[in-house]
Amino acid sequence: MQPAIIIGFVWLLFGGSHLAMSSSGVRPMLVGRFGERGFTIAYVAVTVLTMVPLIVTTALYADTGAAGPNLASHQIARWFLGFFSALGAVLLIAALVDFQNSAIAQLAQRRRRTRENRNVKLGPPTAIERISRHPFFVGLAMLTLSHAMMADTLAEAGYFGGFALLSLAGLYFQDRKLRGQWDQIYADFEAETELLSLGKTASPAVLKSKVWLIAIVTVIVLFGAGHPLWTYANGAPLAAVILLFGLLATMRAMRQRDR
């Protein structure tokens, strides 16, 4: 069997189960049956059971089989895609650093605080949200799409491209879910933000944010000096890190909900 088909099949298992359990139809049904905590445990279990095979198959097969786009072989394309990838990485790290101030975090806190007035309008977008309403998803899509275009093999391109597609699907479903939960409050926030607006990077509010300095330094260390780590095992460490941080974030959210 072609390596690209193997990785594509494993990606369907991971991505399909991930989106299915997060959908507006399946999630409420599972939460109603098992409770919020039970659903979270099941969601984590399914994620681990489907993502670990993706990491293993990528490490074993992603460097074999049919040729990929390999745009990195062209100097101009390599520089452009490298810059695009670095920009996405900065946006991704900035989103993680500033997550506690994001609209999504604020709305999650409101859901937990039942006595709080749920009709109060959200504050102005943060410096990160002025550039992208979903900086984590958009940043991850930029990072992985550029690597898919530079991949030597079709299997490796499919591995990175899967993350880009999942990120784009994630931001769409998250917008739809939050719009349904918060109606006009989230609609107003959407009206003040865009999926990506690089023209706002020079605005005073954005330039004053220290989050960008932290994100840029982190990206230089992680994706610059630490680049050999990310290229090891055909890029499989990227999925491993995403899985690890996803598990840690979920555990933190469960503790907050319990309190």
Side-chain angles (χ1 to χ4, degrees), residues 11 51-60 62 92 140 143-144 147 156 159-160 163 222-223 226-246:
W11 242 115
M51 199 168 189
V52 169
L54 175 63
I55 295 170
V56 173
T57 52
T58 298
L60 293 176
L92 187 157
L140 183 59
L143 174 67
T144 52
H147 277 73
E156 191 175 35
Y159 164 69
F160 284 112
F163 281 109
L222 289 181
F223 295 93
H227 193 257
L229 169 66
W230 304 107
T231 57
Y232 178 74
N234 307 316
L238 174 66
V241 169
I242 291 174
L243 176 61
L244 176 62
F245 275 90

Side-chain angles (χ1 to χ4, degrees), residues 133-149:
R133 181 164 63 251
H134 295 293
F136 179 84
F137 284 132
V138 172
L140 183 59
M142 292 169 65
L143 174 67
T144 52
L145 181 60
S146 58
H147 277 73
M149 294 295 99

